[in-house]
Structures are given as C-alpha cells and as structure tokens.
Amino acid sequence: MPGFGAPRGNHTHQGQDVLGSEGTPILAPLAGTITWTSYQAGGAGYYAIEHTATFDFMFAHCQSGSLAVKAEQPVSAGQAVCHIGETGDATTPHLHFEMWVGGWQARGGHPIDPLPYLQAWERPGS
C-alpha cells in the first residue's frame, strides 16, 4: 500500500493507508465537526471529513452503510466515524487517512504525513 507522497498517476498519495479487517471501527482522533460526507466511486469510496482546531482529517474507503456521522455534526475524540471498508478504488480493506493543515483541499491548505500522529495515537494492546 502506498505511503504519504508516493506517486499515483498524475498526483501523489496524500495520506497513509492503514490495513485492517473489514468492519473495524474508525474513531475520531480529536474532537471536531464533520464538514462533509460523500461517495466517490473511482477513488475514496464512502468518506468523511472532520475539521478540528488544528487539522482536517479525511477518512476514506469506509464500509458501505457504516458512516456514523453526517455533515455539520460535532464529534468527540474517540467517537465512531465509520468502519474499515473496501469501497471506491480500494482493492483490500483499509482506511485511507489524510491530515491537512489550513483546511482539506482549501486554498492554502496542504496535506502532511499522518504517520507520526497515527503512531503517537496508537493505544497499547491494539
């Protein structure tokens, strides 16, 4: 699975792919507000965008029917967003996770590598 910055045709991979079993819950790492949910057949599949005080997060390839959030909904840290799936152009169950500074796909916004944050947030025994 490609990591952050890997070439992807006419763009670079803007997140980290985290392999997992289909149906594994995906939790919001920080409190924030869901700003967008949608479906992209040729890409992200079912996905959600969360805005927080410091970052925007994208959770992609969610399992069909598992989005537990909707636009304009506040979420707390640890709240379920969706479940790992294989939707869109995914070829195996995984979470595609992006972190953005300055807003998700916003003018002046840009993705950063979420790997150090994912490692810091990982819970012992998980």
Short mmCIF file of all heavy atoms in Angstrom, two decimals, residues 31-95:
data_model
loop_
_atom_site.label_atom_id
_atom_site.label_comp_id
_atom_site.label_asym_id
_atom_site.label_seq_id
_atom_site.Cartn_x
_atom_site.Cartn_y
_atom_site.Cartn_z
N ALA A 31 -11.56 15.89 18.93
CA ALA A 31 -12.90 16.48 18.85
C ALA A 31 -12.94 17.49 17.71
O ALA A 31 -11.96 18.17 17.43
CB ALA A 31 -13.26 17.16 20.17
N GLY A 32 -14.07 17.55 17.04
CA GLY A 32 -14.22 18.49 15.93
C GLY A 32 -15.63 18.46 15.38
O GLY A 32 -16.57 18.09 16.08
N THR A 33 -15.76 18.81 14.11
CA THR A 33 -17.05 18.83 13.43
C THR A 33 -16.89 18.16 12.07
O THR A 33 -15.95 18.46 11.33
CB THR A 33 -17.54 20.28 13.21
OG1 THR A 33 -17.64 20.92 14.49
CG2 THR A 33 -18.89 20.31 12.52
N ILE A 34 -17.80 17.28 11.74
CA ILE A 34 -17.82 16.68 10.42
C ILE A 34 -18.30 17.75 9.44
O ILE A 34 -19.36 18.34 9.65
CB ILE A 34 -18.74 15.44 10.37
CG1 ILE A 34 -18.27 14.37 11.36
CG2 ILE A 34 -18.84 14.88 8.95
CD1 ILE A 34 -16.86 13.84 11.12
N THR A 35 -17.51 18.02 8.43
CA THR A 35 -17.88 19.06 7.47
C THR A 35 -18.42 18.49 6.18
O THR A 35 -19.08 19.21 5.43
CB THR A 35 -16.68 19.97 7.15
OG1 THR A 35 -15.61 19.17 6.65
CG2 THR A 35 -16.24 20.74 8.39
N TRP A 36 -18.14 17.22 5.91
CA TRP A 36 -18.53 16.67 4.62
C TRP A 36 -18.54 15.15 4.70
O TRP A 36 -17.67 14.54 5.31
CB TRP A 36 -17.50 17.12 3.58
CG TRP A 36 -17.82 16.82 2.17
CD1 TRP A 36 -17.36 15.75 1.43
CD2 TRP A 36 -18.64 17.57 1.29
NE1 TRP A 36 -17.85 15.80 0.16
CE2 TRP A 36 -18.64 16.93 0.04
CE3 TRP A 36 -19.38 18.74 1.44
CZ2 TRP A 36 -19.36 17.40 -1.05
CZ3 TRP A 36 -20.09 19.22 0.35
CH2 TRP A 36 -20.07 18.56 -0.87
N THR A 37 -19.54 14.53 4.09
CA THR A 37 -19.54 13.09 3.83
C THR A 37 -19.99 12.91 2.40
O THR A 37 -20.81 13.68 1.90
CB THR A 37 -20.47 12.31 4.79
OG1 THR A 37 -21.81 12.73 4.60
CG2 THR A 37 -20.07 12.48 6.24
N SER A 38 -19.44 11.89 1.74
CA SER A 38 -19.81 11.68 0.35
C SER A 38 -19.36 10.30 -0.10
O SER A 38 -18.84 9.51 0.69
CB SER A 38 -19.18 12.76 -0.53
OG SER A 38 -19.74 12.76 -1.84
N TYR A 39 -19.57 10.05 -1.41
CA TYR A 39 -19.15 8.81 -2.04
C TYR A 39 -18.46 9.15 -3.35
O TYR A 39 -18.96 9.96 -4.13
CB TYR A 39 -20.33 7.88 -2.31
CG TYR A 39 -19.93 6.61 -3.02
CD1 TYR A 39 -19.29 5.60 -2.33
CD2 TYR A 39 -20.15 6.45 -4.38
CE1 TYR A 39 -18.88 4.43 -2.97
CE2 TYR A 39 -19.76 5.28 -5.03
CZ TYR A 39 -19.13 4.29 -4.32
OH TYR A 39 -18.72 3.14 -4.95
N GLN A 40 -17.31 8.54 -3.60
CA GLN A 40 -16.56 8.72 -4.84
C GLN A 40 -16.22 7.33 -5.39
O GLN A 40 -15.33 6.65 -4.88
CB GLN A 40 -15.29 9.52 -4.55
CG GLN A 40 -14.46 9.84 -5.76
CD GLN A 40 -13.16 10.53 -5.37
OE1 GLN A 40 -12.43 10.06 -4.49
NE2 GLN A 40 -12.88 11.64 -6.03
N ALA A 41 -16.95 6.93 -6.43
CA ALA A 41 -16.81 5.57 -6.96
C ALA A 41 -15.40 5.24 -7.43
O ALA A 41 -14.89 4.16 -7.16
CB ALA A 41 -17.81 5.36 -8.10
N GLY A 42 -14.74 6.18 -8.13
CA GLY A 42 -13.42 5.89 -8.69
C GLY A 42 -12.28 6.28 -7.79
O GLY A 42 -11.14 6.36 -8.25
N GLY A 43 -12.53 6.53 -6.53
CA GLY A 43 -11.47 6.99 -5.63
C GLY A 43 -11.71 6.59 -4.20
O GLY A 43 -11.55 5.45 -3.81
N ALA A 44 -12.15 7.55 -3.40
CA ALA A 44 -12.23 7.41 -1.95
C ALA A 44 -13.34 6.49 -1.45
O ALA A 44 -13.35 6.12 -0.29
CB ALA A 44 -12.39 8.78 -1.30
N GLY A 45 -14.29 6.14 -2.30
CA GLY A 45 -15.44 5.37 -1.82
C GLY A 45 -16.24 6.23 -0.86
O GLY A 45 -16.36 7.44 -1.04
N TYR A 46 -16.80 5.61 0.17
CA TYR A 46 -17.51 6.38 1.20
C TYR A 46 -16.46 7.05 2.09
O TYR A 46 -15.52 6.40 2.53
CB TYR A 46 -18.41 5.47 2.04
CG TYR A 46 -19.58 4.95 1.26
CD1 TYR A 46 -19.55 3.68 0.69
CD2 TYR A 46 -20.71 5.74 1.06
CE1 TYR A 46 -20.62 3.21 -0.06
CE2 TYR A 46 -21.78 5.27 0.31
CZ TYR A 46 -21.72 4.01 -0.24
OH TYR A 46 -22.78 3.55 -0.99
N TYR A 47 -16.64 8.35 2.34
CA TYR A 47 -15.65 9.06 3.13
C TYR A 47 -16.29 10.17 3.95
O TYR A 47 -17.41 10.60 3.69
CB TYR A 47 -14.53 9.62 2.25
CG TYR A 47 -14.92 10.74 1.32
CD1 TYR A 47 -14.76 12.08 1.69
CD2 TYR A 47 -15.43 10.48 0.06
CE1 TYR A 47 -15.09 13.12 0.83
CE2 TYR A 47 -15.77 11.51 -0.81
CZ TYR A 47 -15.60 12.82 -0.42
OH TYR A 47 -15.94 13.84 -1.28
N ALA A 48 -15.53 10.61 4.95
CA ALA A 48 -15.96 11.72 5.82
C ALA A 48 -14.77 12.64 6.04
O ALA A 48 -13.62 12.20 6.07
CB ALA A 48 -16.46 11.18 7.16
N ILE A 49 -15.07 13.94 6.22
CA ILE A 49 -14.07 14.95 6.52
C ILE A 49 -14.41 15.53 7.89
O ILE A 49 -15.56 15.92 8.13
CB ILE A 49 -14.07 16.09 5.47
CG1 ILE A 49 -13.94 15.54 4.06
CG2 ILE A 49 -13.00 17.12 5.81
CD1 ILE A 49 -12.69 14.77 3.77
N GLU A 50 -13.40 15.58 8.77
CA GLU A 50 -13.58 16.18 10.09
C GLU A 50 -12.68 17.41 10.21
O GLU A 50 -11.49 17.35 9.89
CB GLU A 50 -13.21 15.20 11.20
CG GLU A 50 -13.37 15.81 12.58
CD GLU A 50 -12.79 14.97 13.72
OE1 GLU A 50 -12.17 13.93 13.45
OE2 GLU A 50 -12.96 15.39 14.88
N HIS A 51 -13.24 18.51 10.68
CA HIS A 51 -12.48 19.73 10.94
C HIS A 51 -12.28 19.85 12.45
O HIS A 51 -13.22 19.71 13.22
CB HIS A 51 -13.26 20.95 10.43
CG HIS A 51 -12.63 22.25 10.80
ND1 HIS A 51 -11.50 22.73 10.19
CD2 HIS A 51 -12.95 23.15 11.76
CE1 HIS A 51 -11.16 23.87 10.74
NE2 HIS A 51 -12.03 24.16 11.70
N THR A 52 -11.01 20.08 12.86
CA THR A 52 -10.71 20.30 14.27
C THR A 52 -10.01 21.65 14.41
O THR A 52 -9.74 22.33 13.42
CB THR A 52 -9.80 19.18 14.84
OG1 THR A 52 -8.46 19.37 14.36
CG2 THR A 52 -10.31 17.80 14.47
N ALA A 53 -9.65 22.01 15.61
CA ALA A 53 -8.97 23.29 15.85
C ALA A 53 -7.60 23.34 15.20
O ALA A 53 -7.10 24.42 14.89
CB ALA A 53 -8.85 23.53 17.35
N THR A 54 -6.98 22.18 14.96
CA THR A 54 -5.62 22.17 14.41
C THR A 54 -5.49 21.53 13.03
O THR A 54 -4.63 21.94 12.26
CB THR A 54 -4.65 21.44 15.37
OG1 THR A 54 -5.23 20.18 15.72
CG2 THR A 54 -4.41 22.25 16.63
N PHE A 55 -6.30 20.54 12.73
CA PHE A 55 -6.18 19.79 11.47
C PHE A 55 -7.56 19.50 10.89
O PHE A 55 -8.56 19.54 11.60
CB PHE A 55 -5.50 18.43 11.70
CG PHE A 55 -4.15 18.50 12.33
CD1 PHE A 55 -3.94 18.08 13.63
CD2 PHE A 55 -3.06 18.96 11.60
CE1 PHE A 55 -2.68 18.13 14.20
CE2 PHE A 55 -1.79 19.02 12.17
CZ PHE A 55 -1.61 18.60 13.47
N ASP A 56 -7.56 19.15 9.61
CA ASP A 56 -8.71 18.49 9.00
C ASP A 56 -8.28 17.06 8.72
O ASP A 56 -7.13 16.81 8.33
CB ASP A 56 -9.11 19.17 7.68
CG ASP A 56 -9.93 20.43 7.90
OD1 ASP A 56 -10.04 20.89 9.06
OD2 ASP A 56 -10.44 20.98 6.91
N PHE A 57 -9.20 16.11 8.92
CA PHE A 57 -8.93 14.70 8.69
C PHE A 57 -9.85 14.19 7.60
O PHE A 57 -11.02 14.57 7.54
CB PHE A 57 -9.20 13.87 9.95
CG PHE A 57 -8.38 14.27 11.14
CD1 PHE A 57 -9.01 14.71 12.30
CD2 PHE A 57 -7.00 14.22 11.13
CE1 PHE A 57 -8.28 15.07 13.42
CE2 PHE A 57 -6.26 14.58 12.24
CZ PHE A 57 -6.90 15.01 13.39
N MET A 58 -9.33 13.28 6.76
CA MET A 58 -10.16 12.57 5.79
C MET A 58 -10.07 11.09 6.13
O MET A 58 -8.99 10.54 6.29
CB MET A 58 -9.67 12.78 4.37
CG MET A 58 -10.52 12.01 3.36
SD MET A 58 -9.73 11.92 1.75
CE MET A 58 -11.17 11.67 0.72
N PHE A 59 -11.24 10.46 6.23
CA PHE A 59 -11.35 9.03 6.49
C PHE A 59 -11.99 8.43 5.23
O PHE A 59 -13.16 8.73 4.94
CB PHE A 59 -12.27 8.75 7.69
CG PHE A 59 -11.92 9.55 8.92
CD1 PHE A 59 -12.48 10.80 9.13
CD2 PHE A 59 -11.05 9.04 9.87
CE1 PHE A 59 -12.19 11.54 10.28
CE2 PHE A 59 -10.75 9.78 11.02
CZ PHE A 59 -11.32 11.02 11.22
N ALA A 60 -11.27 7.60 4.48
CA ALA A 60 -11.78 7.12 3.19
C ALA A 60 -11.82 5.60 3.11
O ALA A 60 -11.15 4.90 3.86
CB ALA A 60 -10.93 7.68 2.06
N HIS A 61 -12.59 5.11 2.14
CA HIS A 61 -12.84 3.69 1.84
C HIS A 61 -13.69 3.05 2.93
O HIS A 61 -13.59 1.85 3.18
CB HIS A 61 -11.55 2.91 1.61
CG HIS A 61 -10.69 3.46 0.52
ND1 HIS A 61 -11.14 3.64 -0.76
CD2 HIS A 61 -9.40 3.89 0.53
CE1 HIS A 61 -10.17 4.15 -1.50
NE2 HIS A 61 -9.11 4.33 -0.74
N CYS A 62 -14.54 3.85 3.59
CA CYS A 62 -15.40 3.33 4.65
C CYS A 62 -16.34 2.25 4.10
O CYS A 62 -16.79 2.32 2.95
CB CYS A 62 -16.23 4.45 5.26
SG CYS A 62 -15.26 5.73 6.09
N GLN A 63 -16.62 1.29 4.93
CA GLN A 63 -17.54 0.20 4.58
C GLN A 63 -18.91 0.77 4.22
O GLN A 63 -19.39 1.71 4.88
CB GLN A 63 -17.65 -0.74 5.78
CG GLN A 63 -18.46 -1.99 5.55
CD GLN A 63 -18.46 -2.86 6.80
OE1 GLN A 63 -18.64 -2.38 7.91
NE2 GLN A 63 -18.24 -4.14 6.61
N SER A 64 -19.51 0.23 3.19
CA SER A 64 -20.83 0.68 2.77
C SER A 64 -21.82 0.60 3.93
O SER A 64 -21.89 -0.41 4.63
CB SER A 64 -21.32 -0.21 1.61
OG SER A 64 -22.59 0.19 1.20
N GLY A 65 -22.55 1.68 4.15
CA GLY A 65 -23.55 1.74 5.20
C GLY A 65 -23.01 1.98 6.60
O GLY A 65 -23.76 1.96 7.57
N SER A 66 -21.69 2.22 6.72
CA SER A 66 -21.12 2.34 8.06
C SER A 66 -20.88 3.78 8.52
O SER A 66 -20.50 3.98 9.68
CB SER A 66 -19.79 1.58 8.15
OG SER A 66 -18.74 2.28 7.50
N LEU A 67 -21.07 4.77 7.65
CA LEU A 67 -20.85 6.15 8.10
C LEU A 67 -21.78 6.45 9.27
O LEU A 67 -23.00 6.36 9.15
CB LEU A 67 -21.09 7.15 6.96
CG LEU A 67 -19.97 7.30 5.95
CD1 LEU A 67 -20.42 8.18 4.79
CD2 LEU A 67 -18.72 7.87 6.58
N ALA A 68 -21.19 6.78 10.40
CA ALA A 68 -21.96 7.03 11.63
C ALA A 68 -22.09 8.52 11.90
O ALA A 68 -22.52 8.92 12.98
CB ALA A 68 -21.27 6.34 12.81
N VAL A 69 -21.70 9.33 10.93
CA VAL A 69 -21.70 10.79 11.08
C VAL A 69 -22.32 11.42 9.84
O VAL A 69 -22.46 10.78 8.81
CB VAL A 69 -20.26 11.32 11.29
CG1 VAL A 69 -19.68 10.84 12.61
CG2 VAL A 69 -19.36 10.94 10.12
N LYS A 70 -22.66 12.70 9.99
CA LYS A 70 -23.16 13.46 8.84
C LYS A 70 -22.62 14.89 8.93
O LYS A 70 -22.13 15.32 9.97
CB LYS A 70 -24.69 13.45 8.81
CG LYS A 70 -25.33 14.04 10.03
CD LYS A 70 -26.83 13.90 10.00
CE LYS A 70 -27.38 14.54 11.25
NZ LYS A 70 -28.57 13.99 11.76
N ALA A 71 -22.72 15.61 7.83
CA ALA A 71 -22.20 16.98 7.77
C ALA A 71 -22.82 17.84 8.86
O ALA A 71 -24.00 17.69 9.19
CB ALA A 71 -22.46 17.58 6.40
N GLU A 72 -22.02 18.74 9.41
CA GLU A 72 -22.39 19.69 10.46
C GLU A 72 -22.51 19.05 11.84
O GLU A 72 -22.90 19.72 12.80
CB GLU A 72 -23.71 20.42 10.12
CG GLU A 72 -23.72 21.09 8.77
CD GLU A 72 -22.63 22.13 8.60
OE1 GLU A 72 -22.36 22.90 9.54
OE2 GLU A 72 -22.01 22.16 7.52
N GLN A 73 -22.17 17.77 11.96
CA GLN A 73 -22.29 17.08 13.24
C GLN A 73 -21.02 17.23 14.06
O GLN A 73 -19.93 16.93 13.58
CB GLN A 73 -22.56 15.59 12.99
CG GLN A 73 -22.62 14.77 14.26
CD GLN A 73 -22.83 13.29 13.98
OE1 GLN A 73 -23.34 12.90 12.94
NE2 GLN A 73 -22.42 12.45 14.92
N PRO A 74 -21.13 17.69 15.31
CA PRO A 74 -19.95 17.68 16.18
C PRO A 74 -19.61 16.25 16.58
O PRO A 74 -20.50 15.41 16.72
CB PRO A 74 -20.38 18.50 17.39
CG PRO A 74 -21.85 18.66 17.30
CD PRO A 74 -22.30 18.26 15.94
N VAL A 75 -18.31 15.98 16.71
CA VAL A 75 -17.85 14.67 17.17
C VAL A 75 -16.84 14.86 18.29
O VAL A 75 -16.12 15.85 18.32
CB VAL A 75 -17.23 13.83 16.02
CG1 VAL A 75 -18.28 13.42 15.01
CG2 VAL A 75 -16.09 14.54 15.35
N SER A 76 -16.81 13.90 19.18
CA SER A 76 -15.84 13.94 20.27
C SER A 76 -14.70 12.98 19.94
O SER A 76 -14.85 12.07 19.12
CB SER A 76 -16.50 13.55 21.59
OG SER A 76 -17.13 12.30 21.47
N ALA A 77 -13.56 13.18 20.58
CA ALA A 77 -12.44 12.27 20.40
C ALA A 77 -12.88 10.87 20.82
O ALA A 77 -13.52 10.69 21.85
CB ALA A 77 -11.25 12.73 21.24
N GLY A 78 -12.59 9.89 19.98
CA GLY A 78 -12.97 8.51 20.27
C GLY A 78 -14.33 8.11 19.75
O GLY A 78 -14.72 6.94 19.87
N GLN A 79 -15.07 9.04 19.16
CA GLN A 79 -16.39 8.73 18.62
C GLN A 79 -16.25 8.01 17.28
O GLN A 79 -15.39 8.34 16.47
CB GLN A 79 -17.19 10.01 18.44
CG GLN A 79 -18.61 9.79 17.95
CD GLN A 79 -19.41 11.09 17.93
OE1 GLN A 79 -19.10 12.04 18.64
NE2 GLN A 79 -20.44 11.12 17.10
N ALA A 80 -17.11 7.04 17.02
CA ALA A 80 -17.08 6.29 15.76
C ALA A 80 -17.42 7.20 14.58
O ALA A 80 -18.38 7.97 14.64
CB ALA A 80 -18.05 5.12 15.81
N VAL A 81 -16.62 7.10 13.53
CA VAL A 81 -16.85 7.84 12.29
C VAL A 81 -17.43 6.88 11.25
O VAL A 81 -18.41 7.19 10.57
CB VAL A 81 -15.55 8.48 11.77
CG1 VAL A 81 -15.74 9.10 10.40
CG2 VAL A 81 -15.03 9.50 12.76
N CYS A 82 -16.79 5.72 11.08
CA CYS A 82 -17.22 4.70 10.12
C CYS A 82 -16.49 3.41 10.46
O CYS A 82 -15.85 3.32 11.51
CB CYS A 82 -16.92 5.15 8.68
SG CYS A 82 -15.17 5.27 8.27
N HIS A 83 -16.57 2.44 9.56
CA HIS A 83 -15.84 1.18 9.71
C HIS A 83 -14.94 0.98 8.50
O HIS A 83 -15.26 1.43 7.39
CB HIS A 83 -16.79 -0.01 9.81
CG HIS A 83 -17.63 0.02 11.05
ND1 HIS A 83 -18.75 -0.76 11.20
CD2 HIS A 83 -17.51 0.72 12.21
CE1 HIS A 83 -19.29 -0.53 12.39
NE2 HIS A 83 -18.55 0.36 13.01
N ILE A 84 -13.82 0.28 8.71
CA ILE A 84 -12.91 -0.02 7.60
C ILE A 84 -13.68 -0.77 6.52
O ILE A 84 -14.44 -1.69 6.81
CB ILE A 84 -11.70 -0.84 8.08
CG1 ILE A 84 -10.74 0.05 8.86
CG2 ILE A 84 -10.98 -1.52 6.91
CD1 ILE A 84 -9.49 -0.64 9.36
N GLY A 85 -13.45 -0.35 5.29
CA GLY A 85 -14.11 -0.99 4.16
C GLY A 85 -13.18 -1.13 2.98
O GLY A 85 -11.95 -1.00 3.09
N GLU A 86 -13.81 -1.36 1.84
CA GLU A 86 -13.09 -1.62 0.59
C GLU A 86 -13.84 -0.93 -0.55
O GLU A 86 -13.96 -1.46 -1.64
CB GLU A 86 -13.02 -3.13 0.38
CG GLU A 86 -12.06 -3.61 -0.64
CD GLU A 86 -11.97 -5.13 -0.68
OE1 GLU A 86 -12.47 -5.82 0.23
OE2 GLU A 86 -11.39 -5.62 -1.65
N THR A 87 -14.37 0.27 -0.27
CA THR A 87 -15.20 0.96 -1.26
C THR A 87 -14.34 1.87 -2.15
O THR A 87 -13.19 2.14 -1.85
CB THR A 87 -16.31 1.78 -0.57
OG1 THR A 87 -15.74 2.75 0.30
CG2 THR A 87 -17.26 0.87 0.21
N GLY A 88 -14.94 2.35 -3.23
CA GLY A 88 -14.21 3.18 -4.18
C GLY A 88 -13.22 2.33 -4.96
O GLY A 88 -13.54 1.22 -5.38
N ASP A 89 -11.99 2.83 -5.11
CA ASP A 89 -10.99 2.08 -5.86
C ASP A 89 -10.11 1.20 -4.97
O ASP A 89 -9.07 0.72 -5.41
CB ASP A 89 -10.13 3.02 -6.72
CG ASP A 89 -9.24 3.95 -5.90
OD1 ASP A 89 -9.30 3.91 -4.65
OD2 ASP A 89 -8.48 4.72 -6.51
N ALA A 90 -10.51 0.97 -3.73
CA ALA A 90 -9.74 0.12 -2.82
C ALA A 90 -9.74 -1.32 -3.32
O ALA A 90 -10.74 -1.81 -3.83
CB ALA A 90 -10.32 0.18 -1.41
N THR A 91 -8.62 -2.00 -3.15
CA THR A 91 -8.52 -3.39 -3.57
C THR A 91 -8.41 -4.35 -2.38
O THR A 91 -8.38 -5.56 -2.56
CB THR A 91 -7.30 -3.60 -4.50
OG1 THR A 91 -6.12 -3.17 -3.81
CG2 THR A 91 -7.46 -2.80 -5.78
N THR A 92 -8.36 -3.79 -1.18
CA THR A 92 -8.34 -4.58 0.05
C THR A 92 -8.87 -3.69 1.17
O THR A 92 -8.79 -2.46 1.07
CB THR A 92 -6.91 -5.09 0.36
OG1 THR A 92 -6.95 -6.05 1.41
CG2 THR A 92 -5.98 -3.94 0.75
N PRO A 93 -9.46 -4.26 2.21
CA PRO A 93 -9.98 -3.42 3.29
C PRO A 93 -8.88 -2.61 3.97
O PRO A 93 -7.84 -3.15 4.37
CB PRO A 93 -10.59 -4.43 4.28
CG PRO A 93 -10.82 -5.66 3.49
CD PRO A 93 -9.75 -5.68 2.44
N HIS A 94 -9.09 -1.31 4.05
CA HIS A 94 -8.15 -0.43 4.72
C HIS A 94 -8.78 0.94 4.93
O HIS A 94 -9.78 1.28 4.31
CB HIS A 94 -6.84 -0.29 3.93
CG HIS A 94 -6.94 0.53 2.68
ND1 HIS A 94 -7.47 0.04 1.51
CD2 HIS A 94 -6.56 1.80 2.41
CE1 HIS A 94 -7.42 0.96 0.57
NE2 HIS A 94 -6.87 2.06 1.10
N LEU A 95 -8.16 1.71 5.81
CA LEU A 95 -8.51 3.11 5.99
C LEU A 95 -7.48 3.94 5.25
O LEU A 95 -6.27 3.75 5.45
CB LEU A 95 -8.47 3.49 7.48
CG LEU A 95 -8.51 5.00 7.79
CD1 LEU A 95 -9.86 5.60 7.40
CD2 LEU A 95 -8.18 5.26 9.24
#
